Amino acid sequence: MESQNRLWRVLLLALPILVFSVLVIWPLLSSFYYSFTNWNGFNRDYEFLGLRNFAKIWTDRLFFNAIVNTTIWMAAALVLPTLTGLFLALLLDRQVRGARIFKTVFYLPICLSAIVVGQIWIWIYQPDWGLLNTFVKLAGNPDFNYAWLARPDSALFAVIVAWSWQQTGLSMVIYLAGLTSIPSEMLEVCEIEGATAWQRIRRVVIPLLTPSTVVVVALSMINSLKGFDILYIMTGGGPFNSSDTLAMHMYNESFKKYLMGYGSAISVVLFLIALTIIGVYFRQLRKVDEIYG
Amino acid sequence: MAQVELRNIRKSFGATEVIRGVDLSIDKGEFVVFVGPSGCGKSTILRLISGLESVSSGQILFDGKDMTRTPPSKRQLAMVFQSYALFPHLTVAENIGFGLSLAKTPKAEITRRVTEVAKTLQLDSLLDRTPRQLSGGQRQRVAIGRSIIRNPKVFLFDEPLSNLDAALRVSMRLEIARLHRELGDVTMIYVTHDQIEAMTLADRIVVLNGGRIEQVGTPMDIYENPANTFVAGFVGAPSMNFIRCRVDTDGAARFGPATISPARPHEVSGDALLGIRPEHLALVESGDGTFDAEIELVERLGAESLVYLRAPFLEKPITVRTGGKLGLSERQAVGVLVDLTNLHVFSPASPAPKPEH
């Protein structure tokens, strides 16, 4: 009986380990391996280059452009959905009429694929008949014709807005769950002590939502680091690399220029950056855990 | 003039009426304890007094002024919750000074008053800690500190010691009693289901049942002169014994083979319930007492023993409180002597006692 149980345990564990190994561990190790080669993605006769791909990164102007764009992308993708999600959660947490419908509506975009979201926002940004420019025209600027996604100074921010629109629903739901876990007595203490609505939110609710913020930040960080598909569909990294993030740059080098070895080196750097951020995040997480348990 | 006055307070949640017309006057400086079984409405009344819940009908007056619709922060009261409700992200000092900082009191003044309160509650060495680094008793003291710092006129305690272990409860009970003495004319309203807390802390006890007041009185008055079987059964541990009997026109009560004449005057006749506290029964040799019974169980508690007896005419076993060291054994036949001066006679229509206690 005991040995049969053990067999089951091994079998049940083996399947996910196998899937994880094939889909995560193997590609990860392959990337590390190819980052030291000049493989073009097709031929088997590649050479071992040592650290030359990594040395090239330091002289790659587009790589540093991608670093700047990724920093802006991550910072905005972290802050915007978090703040809007928190704002909506605070608004919908009260017993307002139609709160359930609003919650569903705001959550809906997260159920859509990034490609669909991207296409919706391409239409919204369309210079001639897009929703955004139509509104601006109706607001008294009939000649307004701004190509949001075709201008280097607005392309990245235009994608950030679309991304935030999609991600807001997720942070809203996490914050709504967090709000229900705040003990009612703590809010009653605020009522008895005479806190204003703003004091209650700033000094009690937001700090007590820290565990939720930790989750929101983690998800936003992971999602934004992975953020590729929406950029790909909306701008493809352009115009003039103005929305080229690290993930986008890696894709372009690997699959458009067929420099799979160099692309792998970029992916290794991206991996190390992600690892550092996650390391810092976990250290902060421990501090949060000490306070909120 | 009463500090807090409730006039025909009623509260309904939807179609369910949970408070069914409560009238009560609480004097300045008085320590009033609400007791009652779960769901009797004691915490709801406290929340109505605090303003955290609004009354469905009736009036709440503070110092003669109608406060029924006044928001909680304007009622000059403080509340201590069972769960302490301390903010985990604030230090002890910040928790205590929370109300003052909301009111934008100057920092130096907050520090001075926090230090003063912390000294009173022996928290002065813990001011920089967070609630997670404190024991249950220390946390409750911080919650009390947060309440007293604003010098409220009325203190509301909602089962403040229920989360503490037995030893800590005793010491915190003493602390609360000391605090009441030191604060002088501060009115305290305290909700508990623990009757030892009620008996030891209260100037007056309010016994509640099903959203109504069953009896209001001093602890000893409630204990010695319960108004009905509910109060008699609820107050006192182990609870009062009830024996079905028939009362003759001359006032004598008959049950089984026994006929006894209660010394206290009463107006019950016909079918009745005799109420006898376990300490008002004594065990004697079989045949020497008011009636005979058989020992079902002996619980030895050290200083005293509880002996459970059964007899064919008793609906359920009765309890006798007696000395610690006894040479008694189960199934032994004994005589039971009833203290006639402490007998209570209740009408069977009187509210039913709690089923288990």
Side-chain angles (χ1 to χ4, degrees):
Chain A
M1 192 67 186
E2 181 58 33
S3 62
Q4 205 177 356
N5 275 345
R6 219 180 133 158
L7 185 72
W8 264 111
R9 259 179 264 162
V10 170
L11 270 176
L12 288 171
L13 273 175
L15 189 68
I17 288 173
L18 187 75
V19 171
F20 187 74
S21 303
V22 170
L23 297 181
V24 179
I25 305 287
W26 176 247
L28 186 77
L29 294 176
S30 299
S31 284
F32 270 102
Y33 174 76
Y34 288 123
S35 69
F36 298 107
T37 70
N38 66 350
W39 188 43
N40 64 5
F42 303 102
N43 294 344
R44 278 270 152 224
D45 54 342
Y46 50 81
E47 287 170 33
F48 191 73
L49 299 179
L51 290 172
R52 256 188 283 167
N53 277 335
F54 292 96
K56 187 183 165 188
I57 283 177
W58 290 105
T59 57
D60 184 355
R61 190 185 56 80
L62 288 179
F63 176 81
F64 287 100
N65 170 63
I67 288 272
V68 172
N69 286 341
T70 306
T71 310
I72 296 171
W73 166 260
M74 277 189 68
L78 207 70
V79 173
L80 279 179
T82 306
L83 289 184
T84 45
L86 174 65
F87 177 73
L88 290 176
L90 290 171
L91 217 59
L92 296 175
D93 185 47
R94 294 173 301 164
Q95 301 300 317
V96 285
R97 235 178 121 93
R100 269 192 196 178
I101 296 169
F102 281 117
K103 282 177 198 171
T104 313
V105 167
F106 291 133
Y107 187 71
L108 218 54
I110 203 78
C111 305
L112 303 175
S113 84
I115 305 299
V116 175
V117 172
Q119 195 55 54
I120 290 172
W121 280 87
I122 286 173
W123 287 333
I124 290 174
Y125 289 132
Q126 212 284 335
D128 300 320
W129 43 262
L131 198 65
L132 183 58
N133 282 2
T134 306
F135 270 121
V136 180
K137 281 174 189 165
L138 286 173
N141 297 294
D143 300 327
F144 190 79
N145 193 304
Y146 193 84
W148 299 92
L149 295 172
R151 297 280 191 95
D153 43 357
S154 63
L156 182 62
F157 296 99
V159 183
I160 285 171
V161 170
W163 171 264
S164 303
W165 176 78
Q166 189 192 20
Q167 298 294 315
T168 291
L170 185 65
S171 50
M172 179 195 74
V173 166
I174 294 167
Y175 277 126
L176 277 171
L179 284 170
T180 57
S181 69
I182 294 179
S184 58
E185 290 95 337
M186 296 210 184
L187 303 177
E188 287 170 355
V189 167
C190 294
E191 226 177 307
I192 288 172
E193 300 282 345
T196 60
W198 174 238
Q199 281 176 323
R200 192 182 70 237
I201 289 172
R202 193 176 68 83
R203 302 187 57 173
V204 175
V205 174
I206 292 178
L208 291 178
L209 282 176
T210 305
S212 304
T213 304
V214 165
V215 177
V216 169
V217 167
L219 287 176
S220 299
M221 242 166 24
I222 293 164
N223 288 343
S224 68
L225 266 174
K226 290 195 306 186
F228 165 77
D229 32 17
I230 196 164
L231 280 159
Y232 180 79
I233 190 84
M234 287 183 78
T235 64
F240 309 114
N241 303 104
S242 62
S243 58
D244 207 12
T245 59
L246 272 179
M248 203 67 230
H249 186 52
M250 177 185 71
Y251 172 81
N252 286 335
E253 294 294 322
S254 306
F255 298 102
K256 283 193 172 165
K257 298 182 184 168
Y258 302 114
L259 300 171
M260 197 61 88
Y262 182 56
S264 298
I266 296 172
S267 77
V268 168
V269 173
L270 186 60
F271 173 74
L272 292 176
I273 291 172
L275 209 64
T276 313
I277 293 172
I278 288 165
V280 172
Y281 170 77
F282 271 107
R283 270 183 66 165
Q284 293 303 315
L285 197 66
R286 218 178 303 149
K287 282 186 197 164
V288 170
D289 211 39
E290 274 169 25
I291 297 173
Y292 296 92
Chain B
M1 188 187 296
Q3 173 104 48
V4 179
E5 196 178 344
L6 309 181
R7 287 187 189 162
N8 196 21
I9 293 294
R10 285 175 184 275
K11 175 69 183 173
S12 301
F13 292 105
T16 315
E17 194 176 39
V18 290
I19 304 298
R20 303 169 183 199
V22 166
D23 290 282
L24 184 68
S25 282
I26 300 169
D27 288 331
K28 194 175 180 181
E30 205 177 3
F31 199 128
V32 169
V33 177
F34 291 170
V35 287
S38 300
C40 70
K42 52 191 189 295
S43 285
T44 306
I45 295 179
L46 202 73
R47 293 173 64 78
L48 292 174
I49 295 172
S50 72
L52 291 172
E53 295 283 355
S54 55
V55 296
S56 300
S57 69
Q59 269 188 312
I60 297 173
L61 292 91
F62 281 24
D63 288 325
K65 261 193 279 175
D66 189 352
M67 290 282 188
T68 316
R69 305 283 163 214
T70 308
S73 60
K74 303 265 187 274
R75 296 190 183 196
Q76 279 192 286
L77 49 79
M79 191 155 171
V80 177
F81 296 88
Q82 178 181 351
S83 62
Y84 324 126
L86 296 180
F87 302 117
H89 57 290
L90 301 182
T91 63
V92 168
E94 287 164 341
N95 265 293
I96 295 176
F98 182 72
L100 295 181
S101 73
L102 287 180
K104 300 202 163 62
T105 310
K107 271 190 180 159
E109 172 71 1
I110 296 177
T111 312
R112 188 184 66 76
R113 282 168 67 180
V114 166
T115 314
E116 204 177 283
V117 167
K119 213 170 266 178
T120 315
L121 295 166
Q122 292 146 27
L123 290 167
D124 30 358
S125 60
L126 308 171
L127 286 173
D128 294 327
R129 293 202 192 168
T130 56
R132 251 177 88 82
Q133 297 167 315
L134 303 178
S135 69
Q138 288 167 337
R139 285 181 202 184
Q140 198 52 284
R141 288 216 297 272
V142 177
I144 292 171
R146 181 174 61 194
S147 306
I148 61 175
I149 200 160
R150 287 188 305 117
N151 301 323
K153 286 184 177 173
V154 180
F155 257 109
L156 307 176
F157 291 91
D158 191 2
E159 307 220 22
L161 309 185
S162 298
N163 282 3
L164 305 179
D165 62 49
L168 216 49
R169 278 168 95 135
V170 175
S171 69
M172 279 304 293
R173 213 167 63 208
L174 293 173
E175 288 232 21
I176 290 173
R178 178 179 65 84
L179 198 68
H180 183 232
R181 235 182 8 252
E182 281 176 12
L183 294 176
D185 57 357
V186 173
T187 307
M188 289 190 171
I189 306 173
Y190 190 104
V191 162
T192 183
H193 62 265
D194 181 332
Q195 45 183 294
I196 298 176
E197 276 172 35
M199 295 294 287
T200 52
L201 290 170
D203 292 325
R204 274 194 306 159
I205 291 178
V206 178
V207 184
L208 290 150
N209 181 28
R212 285 197 185 88
I213 292 180
E214 294 287 356
Q215 191 173 359
V216 182
T218 64
M220 284 320 287
D221 188 32
I222 297 250
Y223 189 78
E224 288 174 347
N225 303 301
N228 52 44
T229 49
F230 176 82
V231 178
F234 188 79
V235 178
S239 57
M240 187 180 273
N241 297 300
F242 293 103
I243 301 172
R244 286 205 178 278
C245 67
R246 209 169 155 77
V247 178
D248 292 340
T249 44
D250 60 354
R254 292 177 199 283
F255 60 94
T259 303
I260 52 176
S261 297
R264 293 167 179 233
H266 64 87
E267 289 169 2
V268 183
S269 64
D271 287 337
L273 278 175
L274 267 184
I276 317 164
R277 294 223 176 264
E279 61 269 32
H280 298 143
L281 293 173
L283 297 180
V284 291
E285 287 295 324
S286 177
D288 289 352
T290 315
F291 59 90
D292 278 356
E294 187 184 273
I295 296 176
E296 187 176 86
L297 183 74
V298 181
E299 282 183 345
R300 291 180 173 84
L301 306 178
E304 61 179 23
S305 293
L306 300 177
V307 183
Y308 298 89
L309 306 170
R310 62 178 172 211
F313 51 88
L314 296 174
E315 273 179 20
K316 50 184 186 175
I318 57 168
T319 316
V320 178
R321 188 196 295 257
T322 181
K325 286 183 182 171
L326 290 170
L328 296 173
S329 56
E330 284 164 25
R331 293 174 178 261
Q332 185 182 333
V334 287
V336 182
L337 202 58
V338 178
D339 176 358
L340 298 177
T341 57
N342 283 300
L343 263 181
H344 304 270
V345 185
F346 298 107
S347 155
S350 155
K354 246 180 63 163
E356 91 273 359
H357 183 48

